[in-house]
Amino acid sequence: QVQLVESGGGLVQPGGSLRLSCAASGSISRVNGMGWYRQAPGKQRELVAGITSEGRTNYADSVKGRFTISRDNAKNTVYLQMNSLKPEDTAVYYCNADVWALRYTDYGDYWGQGTQVTVSS
């Protein structure tokens, strides 16, 4: 009853920028925490950045100062602005959200389908 749809991935040169978006839709009552994770080939999925419904943020050390997470609560959308991209940022990026749905009768942890980010010259 809840879907997360990501967009904005692609191929970019080192030092470049990309902006990811993730929109939640469905029978949503309230979206609590939202975040971005990534998974590189042969590695475990890791948290990149998170944001609470009040706007408090946290970042992985590897992206601090380069990435910025933000959200639009009216649109149930979370963004990830990625600057100064490095080859080691190459991964599939997944959106995650904790959602109250169906008039607050259902609480779940939802994932998007993933979007590929490749940083290469």
PDB file of all heavy atoms in Angstrom, residues 1 7 10 14-16 26 28 42 49 52-53 59 64 68-69 71 76-77 84 87 93 96 98 100 115-117:
ATOM      1  N   GLN A   1       0.797  -1.204   0.000  1.00  0.00           N
ATOM      2  CA  GLN A   1       0.000   0.000   0.000  1.00  0.00           C
ATOM      3  C   GLN A   1       0.841   1.271   0.000  1.00  0.00           C
ATOM      4  O   GLN A   1       0.313   2.376  -0.112  1.00  0.00           O
ATOM      5  CB  GLN A   1      -0.922   0.023   1.230  1.00  0.00           C
ATOM      6  CG  GLN A   1      -0.199   0.027   2.551  1.00  0.00           C
ATOM      7  CD  GLN A   1       0.109  -1.352   3.043  1.00  0.00           C
ATOM      8  OE1 GLN A   1       0.106  -2.308   2.265  1.00  0.00           O
ATOM      9  NE2 GLN A   1       0.373  -1.476   4.331  1.00  0.00           N
ATOM     10  N   SER A   7      14.513   8.467  -8.417  1.00  0.00           N
ATOM     11  CA  SER A   7      14.950   8.969  -9.718  1.00  0.00           C
ATOM     12  C   SER A   7      16.215   9.791  -9.526  1.00  0.00           C
ATOM     13  O   SER A   7      16.532  10.200  -8.399  1.00  0.00           O
ATOM     14  CB  SER A   7      13.864   9.811 -10.376  1.00  0.00           C
ATOM     15  OG  SER A   7      13.545  10.934  -9.574  1.00  0.00           O
ATOM     16  N   GLY A  10      22.630   8.012 -12.389  1.00  0.00           N
ATOM     17  CA  GLY A  10      23.252   8.091 -13.700  1.00  0.00           C
ATOM     18  C   GLY A  10      24.758   8.013 -13.623  1.00  0.00           C
ATOM     19  O   GLY A  10      25.327   7.660 -12.590  1.00  0.00           O
ATOM     20  N   PRO A  14      34.157  12.131 -11.999  1.00  0.00           N
ATOM     21  CA  PRO A  14      34.632  12.513 -10.664  1.00  0.00           C
ATOM     22  C   PRO A  14      34.624  14.032 -10.504  1.00  0.00           C
ATOM     23  O   PRO A  14      34.996  14.768 -11.421  1.00  0.00           O
ATOM     24  CB  PRO A  14      36.062  11.964 -10.643  1.00  0.00           C
ATOM     25  CG  PRO A  14      36.014  10.792 -11.568  1.00  0.00           C
ATOM     26  CD  PRO A  14      35.081  11.202 -12.672  1.00  0.00           C
ATOM     27  N   GLY A  15      34.157  14.461  -9.315  1.00  0.00           N
ATOM     28  CA  GLY A  15      34.016  15.881  -9.058  1.00  0.00           C
ATOM     29  C   GLY A  15      32.677  16.451  -9.442  1.00  0.00           C
ATOM     30  O   GLY A  15      32.365  17.601  -9.099  1.00  0.00           O
ATOM     31  N   GLY A  16      31.875  15.673 -10.126  1.00  0.00           N
ATOM     32  CA  GLY A  16      30.570  16.135 -10.567  1.00  0.00           C
ATOM     33  C   GLY A  16      29.502  16.005  -9.494  1.00  0.00           C
ATOM     34  O   GLY A  16      29.785  15.637  -8.348  1.00  0.00           O
ATOM     35  N   GLY A  26       0.820   6.287  -1.906  1.00  0.00           N
ATOM     36  CA  GLY A  26      -0.047   5.211  -1.434  1.00  0.00           C
ATOM     37  C   GLY A  26      -0.939   5.707  -0.307  1.00  0.00           C
ATOM     38  O   GLY A  26      -1.183   6.902  -0.169  1.00  0.00           O
ATOM     39  N   ILE A  28      -0.851   6.737   2.650  1.00  0.00           N
ATOM     40  CA  ILE A  28       0.050   7.242   3.677  1.00  0.00           C
ATOM     41  C   ILE A  28      -0.688   8.126   4.672  1.00  0.00           C
ATOM     42  O   ILE A  28      -1.417   9.030   4.278  1.00  0.00           O
ATOM     43  CB  ILE A  28       1.206   8.033   3.028  1.00  0.00           C
ATOM     44  CG1 ILE A  28       2.062   7.096   2.173  1.00  0.00           C
ATOM     45  CG2 ILE A  28       2.065   8.708   4.097  1.00  0.00           C
ATOM     46  CD1 ILE A  28       3.100   7.814   1.337  1.00  0.00           C
ATOM     47  N   GLY A  42      29.770  -6.407  -4.054  1.00  0.00           N
ATOM     48  CA  GLY A  42      30.580  -7.135  -3.092  1.00  0.00           C
ATOM     49  C   GLY A  42      30.604  -6.557  -1.699  1.00  0.00           C
ATOM     50  O   GLY A  42      31.336  -7.057  -0.834  1.00  0.00           O
ATOM     51  N   ALA A  49      22.740   8.689   4.465  1.00  0.00           N
ATOM     52  CA  ALA A  49      22.213   9.855   5.176  1.00  0.00           C
ATOM     53  C   ALA A  49      20.778   9.581   5.594  1.00  0.00           C
ATOM     54  O   ALA A  49      20.061   8.848   4.916  1.00  0.00           O
ATOM     55  CB  ALA A  49      22.263  11.100   4.291  1.00  0.00           C
ATOM     56  N   THR A  52      14.963  13.044   9.916  1.00  0.00           N
ATOM     57  CA  THR A  52      13.715  12.835  10.639  1.00  0.00           C
ATOM     58  C   THR A  52      12.621  13.721  10.054  1.00  0.00           C
ATOM     59  O   THR A  52      12.886  14.606   9.231  1.00  0.00           O
ATOM     60  CB  THR A  52      13.883  13.170  12.124  1.00  0.00           C
ATOM     61  OG1 THR A  52      14.056  14.596  12.258  1.00  0.00           O
ATOM     62  CG2 THR A  52      15.086  12.460  12.722  1.00  0.00           C
ATOM     63  N   SER A  53      11.399  13.484  10.499  1.00  0.00           N
ATOM     64  CA  SER A  53      10.288  14.304  10.025  1.00  0.00           C
ATOM     65  C   SER A  53      10.448  15.758  10.467  1.00  0.00           C
ATOM     66  O   SER A  53       9.871  16.665   9.861  1.00  0.00           O
ATOM     67  CB  SER A  53       8.955  13.741  10.512  1.00  0.00           C
ATOM     68  OG  SER A  53       8.948  13.651  11.926  1.00  0.00           O
ATOM     69  N   TYR A  59      24.767  11.791   8.766  1.00  0.00           N
ATOM     70  CA  TYR A  59      25.493  11.384   7.575  1.00  0.00           C
ATOM     71  C   TYR A  59      26.582  10.361   7.900  1.00  0.00           C
ATOM     72  O   TYR A  59      27.169  10.390   8.988  1.00  0.00           O
ATOM     73  CB  TYR A  59      26.168  12.590   6.922  1.00  0.00           C
ATOM     74  CG  TYR A  59      25.215  13.633   6.411  1.00  0.00           C
ATOM     75  CD1 TYR A  59      24.823  14.697   7.219  1.00  0.00           C
ATOM     76  CD2 TYR A  59      24.705  13.561   5.115  1.00  0.00           C
ATOM     77  CE1 TYR A  59      23.944  15.666   6.751  1.00  0.00           C
ATOM     78  CE2 TYR A  59      23.839  14.532   4.639  1.00  0.00           C
ATOM     79  CZ  TYR A  59      23.462  15.579   5.465  1.00  0.00           C
ATOM     80  OH  TYR A  59      22.595  16.531   4.992  1.00  0.00           O
ATOM     81  N   LYS A  64      30.157  13.262   4.561  1.00  0.00           N
ATOM     82  CA  LYS A  64      29.968  14.543   5.247  1.00  0.00           C
ATOM     83  C   LYS A  64      30.680  15.662   4.499  1.00  0.00           C
ATOM     84  O   LYS A  64      31.818  15.509   4.082  1.00  0.00           O
ATOM     85  CB  LYS A  64      30.493  14.465   6.676  1.00  0.00           C
ATOM     86  CG  LYS A  64      29.582  13.719   7.628  1.00  0.00           C
ATOM     87  CD  LYS A  64      30.159  13.683   9.030  1.00  0.00           C
ATOM     88  CE  LYS A  64      29.239  12.929   9.975  1.00  0.00           C
ATOM     89  NZ  LYS A  64      29.822  12.803  11.345  1.00  0.00           N
ATOM     90  N   THR A  68      24.081  16.276   0.825  1.00  0.00           N
ATOM     91  CA  THR A  68      23.073  16.941   1.640  1.00  0.00           C
ATOM     92  C   THR A  68      21.724  16.260   1.446  1.00  0.00           C
ATOM     93  O   THR A  68      21.252  16.133   0.313  1.00  0.00           O
ATOM     94  CB  THR A  68      22.939  18.420   1.273  1.00  0.00           C
ATOM     95  OG1 THR A  68      24.197  19.082   1.432  1.00  0.00           O
ATOM     96  CG2 THR A  68      21.914  19.110   2.179  1.00  0.00           C
ATOM     97  N   ILE A  69      21.136  15.833   2.556  1.00  0.00           N
ATOM     98  CA  ILE A  69      19.810  15.236   2.503  1.00  0.00           C
ATOM     99  C   ILE A  69      18.782  16.284   2.904  1.00  0.00           C
ATOM    100  O   ILE A  69      19.026  17.105   3.794  1.00  0.00           O
ATOM    101  CB  ILE A  69      19.715  13.991   3.407  1.00  0.00           C
ATOM    102  CG1 ILE A  69      18.403  13.242   3.165  1.00  0.00           C
ATOM    103  CG2 ILE A  69      19.901  14.348   4.871  1.00  0.00           C
ATOM    104  CD1 ILE A  69      18.344  11.876   3.857  1.00  0.00           C
ATOM    105  N   ARG A  71      14.129  17.094   2.697  1.00  0.00           N
ATOM    106  CA  ARG A  71      12.831  16.482   2.418  1.00  0.00           C
ATOM    107  C   ARG A  71      11.767  17.544   2.290  1.00  0.00           C
ATOM    108  O   ARG A  71      11.882  18.642   2.848  1.00  0.00           O
ATOM    109  CB  ARG A  71      12.450  15.463   3.492  1.00  0.00           C
ATOM    110  CG  ARG A  71      12.265  16.036   4.866  1.00  0.00           C
ATOM    111  CD  ARG A  71      12.088  14.921   5.905  1.00  0.00           C
ATOM    112  NE  ARG A  71      10.779  14.286   5.826  1.00  0.00           N
ATOM    113  CZ  ARG A  71      10.433  13.197   6.519  1.00  0.00           C
ATOM    114  NH1 ARG A  71      11.323  12.618   7.323  1.00  0.00           N
ATOM    115  NH2 ARG A  71       9.215  12.690   6.416  1.00  0.00           N
ATOM    116  N   ASN A  76       5.910  14.232   0.584  1.00  0.00           N
ATOM    117  CA  ASN A  76       6.442  12.925   1.022  1.00  0.00           C
ATOM    118  C   ASN A  76       7.649  12.522   0.174  1.00  0.00           C
ATOM    119  O   ASN A  76       7.768  11.371  -0.256  1.00  0.00           O
ATOM    120  CB  ASN A  76       5.356  11.842   0.950  1.00  0.00           C
ATOM    121  CG  ASN A  76       4.268  12.051   1.985  1.00  0.00           C
ATOM    122  OD1 ASN A  76       4.521  12.520   3.089  1.00  0.00           O
ATOM    123  ND2 ASN A  76       3.044  11.711   1.620  1.00  0.00           N
ATOM    124  N   THR A  77       8.524  13.466  -0.027  1.00  0.00           N
ATOM    125  CA  THR A  77       9.677  13.263  -0.904  1.00  0.00           C
ATOM    126  C   THR A  77      10.965  13.602  -0.162  1.00  0.00           C
ATOM    127  O   THR A  77      11.020  14.583   0.575  1.00  0.00           O
ATOM    128  CB  THR A  77       9.546  14.135  -2.159  1.00  0.00           C
ATOM    129  OG1 THR A  77       8.360  13.747  -2.875  1.00  0.00           O
ATOM    130  CG2 THR A  77      10.745  13.956  -3.071  1.00  0.00           C
ATOM    131  N   SER A  84      30.855  16.834  -5.443  1.00  0.00           N
ATOM    132  CA  SER A  84      32.240  16.345  -5.353  1.00  0.00           C
ATOM    133  C   SER A  84      32.298  14.827  -5.351  1.00  0.00           C
ATOM    134  O   SER A  84      32.983  14.207  -4.532  1.00  0.00           O
ATOM    135  CB  SER A  84      32.923  16.901  -4.097  1.00  0.00           C
ATOM    136  OG  SER A  84      32.898  18.310  -4.092  1.00  0.00           O
ATOM    137  N   PRO A  87      34.881   8.164  -7.351  1.00  0.00           N
ATOM    138  CA  PRO A  87      34.615   6.809  -7.861  1.00  0.00           C
ATOM    139  C   PRO A  87      34.109   5.861  -6.774  1.00  0.00           C
ATOM    140  O   PRO A  87      33.287   4.984  -7.068  1.00  0.00           O
ATOM    141  CB  PRO A  87      35.987   6.382  -8.399  1.00  0.00           C
ATOM    142  CG  PRO A  87      36.635   7.658  -8.805  1.00  0.00           C
ATOM    143  CD  PRO A  87      36.194   8.665  -7.779  1.00  0.00           C
ATOM    144  N   TYR A  93      21.867   3.146  -5.099  1.00  0.00           N
ATOM    145  CA  TYR A  93      21.356   3.939  -3.991  1.00  0.00           C
ATOM    146  C   TYR A  93      19.878   3.607  -3.777  1.00  0.00           C
ATOM    147  O   TYR A  93      19.094   3.623  -4.712  1.00  0.00           O
ATOM    148  CB  TYR A  93      21.537   5.420  -4.271  1.00  0.00           C
ATOM    149  CG  TYR A  93      22.969   5.868  -4.083  1.00  0.00           C
ATOM    150  CD1 TYR A  93      23.970   5.459  -4.954  1.00  0.00           C
ATOM    151  CD2 TYR A  93      23.325   6.686  -3.018  1.00  0.00           C
ATOM    152  CE1 TYR A  93      25.291   5.849  -4.764  1.00  0.00           C
ATOM    153  CE2 TYR A  93      24.641   7.096  -2.822  1.00  0.00           C
ATOM    154  CZ  TYR A  93      25.619   6.663  -3.696  1.00  0.00           C
ATOM    155  OH  TYR A  93      26.926   7.063  -3.506  1.00  0.00           O
ATOM    156  N   ASN A  96      14.756   4.778   1.702  1.00  0.00           N
ATOM    157  CA  ASN A  96      14.090   4.061   2.779  1.00  0.00           C
ATOM    158  C   ASN A  96      13.194   5.017   3.549  1.00  0.00           C
ATOM    159  O   ASN A  96      13.540   6.183   3.731  1.00  0.00           O
ATOM    160  CB  ASN A  96      15.135   3.456   3.721  1.00  0.00           C
ATOM    161  CG  ASN A  96      14.521   2.837   4.948  1.00  0.00           C
ATOM    162  OD1 ASN A  96      14.492   3.435   6.014  1.00  0.00           O
ATOM    163  ND2 ASN A  96      14.012   1.628   4.809  1.00  0.00           N
ATOM    164  N   ASP A  98      10.126   5.109   6.927  1.00  0.00           N
ATOM    165  CA  ASP A  98       9.260   4.511   7.935  1.00  0.00           C
ATOM    166  C   ASP A  98       7.901   5.209   7.838  1.00  0.00           C
ATOM    167  O   ASP A  98       7.817   6.418   8.020  1.00  0.00           O
ATOM    168  CB  ASP A  98       9.845   4.692   9.331  1.00  0.00           C
ATOM    169  CG  ASP A  98      11.152   3.954   9.496  1.00  0.00           C
ATOM    170  OD1 ASP A  98      11.275   2.858   8.903  1.00  0.00           O
ATOM    171  OD2 ASP A  98      12.046   4.470  10.173  1.00  0.00           O
ATOM    172  N   TRP A 100       3.591   5.397   8.482  1.00  0.00           N
ATOM    173  CA  TRP A 100       2.287   5.033   8.998  1.00  0.00           C
ATOM    174  C   TRP A 100       1.321   5.091   7.807  1.00  0.00           C
ATOM    175  O   TRP A 100       1.264   6.092   7.087  1.00  0.00           O
ATOM    176  CB  TRP A 100       1.807   6.018  10.061  1.00  0.00           C
ATOM    177  CG  TRP A 100       2.317   5.759  11.426  1.00  0.00           C
ATOM    178  CD1 TRP A 100       3.279   6.447  12.089  1.00  0.00           C
ATOM    179  CD2 TRP A 100       1.875   4.734  12.331  1.00  0.00           C
ATOM    180  NE1 TRP A 100       3.471   5.929  13.340  1.00  0.00           N
ATOM    181  CE2 TRP A 100       2.616   4.869  13.511  1.00  0.00           C
ATOM    182  CE3 TRP A 100       0.910   3.713  12.239  1.00  0.00           C
ATOM    183  CZ2 TRP A 100       2.445   4.039  14.610  1.00  0.00           C
ATOM    184  CZ3 TRP A 100       0.736   2.880  13.328  1.00  0.00           C
ATOM    185  CH2 TRP A 100       1.494   3.062  14.501  1.00  0.00           C
ATOM    186  N   THR A 115      18.540   2.988  -7.465  1.00  0.00           N
ATOM    187  CA  THR A 115      18.962   3.713  -8.661  1.00  0.00           C
ATOM    188  C   THR A 115      20.491   3.693  -8.714  1.00  0.00           C
ATOM    189  O   THR A 115      21.166   3.908  -7.706  1.00  0.00           O
ATOM    190  CB  THR A 115      18.413   5.156  -8.673  1.00  0.00           C
ATOM    191  OG1 THR A 115      18.757   5.794  -9.901  1.00  0.00           O
ATOM    192  CG2 THR A 115      18.956   5.989  -7.516  1.00  0.00           C
ATOM    193  N   GLN A 116      21.016   3.404  -9.894  1.00  0.00           N
ATOM    194  CA  GLN A 116      22.463   3.246 -10.056  1.00  0.00           C
ATOM    195  C   GLN A 116      23.134   4.614 -10.162  1.00  0.00           C
ATOM    196  O   GLN A 116      22.711   5.472 -10.953  1.00  0.00           O
ATOM    197  CB  GLN A 116      22.776   2.429 -11.300  1.00  0.00           C
ATOM    198  CG  GLN A 116      24.263   2.259 -11.596  1.00  0.00           C
ATOM    199  CD  GLN A 116      24.963   1.365 -10.590  1.00  0.00           C
ATOM    200  OE1 GLN A 116      24.472   0.293 -10.242  1.00  0.00           O
ATOM    201  NE2 GLN A 116      26.124   1.801 -10.115  1.00  0.00           N
ATOM    202  N   VAL A 117      24.193   4.788  -9.383  1.00  0.00           N
ATOM    203  CA  VAL A 117      25.062   5.958  -9.500  1.00  0.00           C
ATOM    204  C   VAL A 117      26.459   5.455  -9.838  1.00  0.00           C
ATOM    205  O   VAL A 117      27.021   4.636  -9.104  1.00  0.00           O
ATOM    206  CB  VAL A 117      25.093   6.774  -8.187  1.00  0.00           C
ATOM    207  CG1 VAL A 117      26.164   7.855  -8.257  1.00  0.00           C
ATOM    208  CG2 VAL A 117      23.729   7.393  -7.926  1.00  0.00           C
TER     209      VAL A 117
END
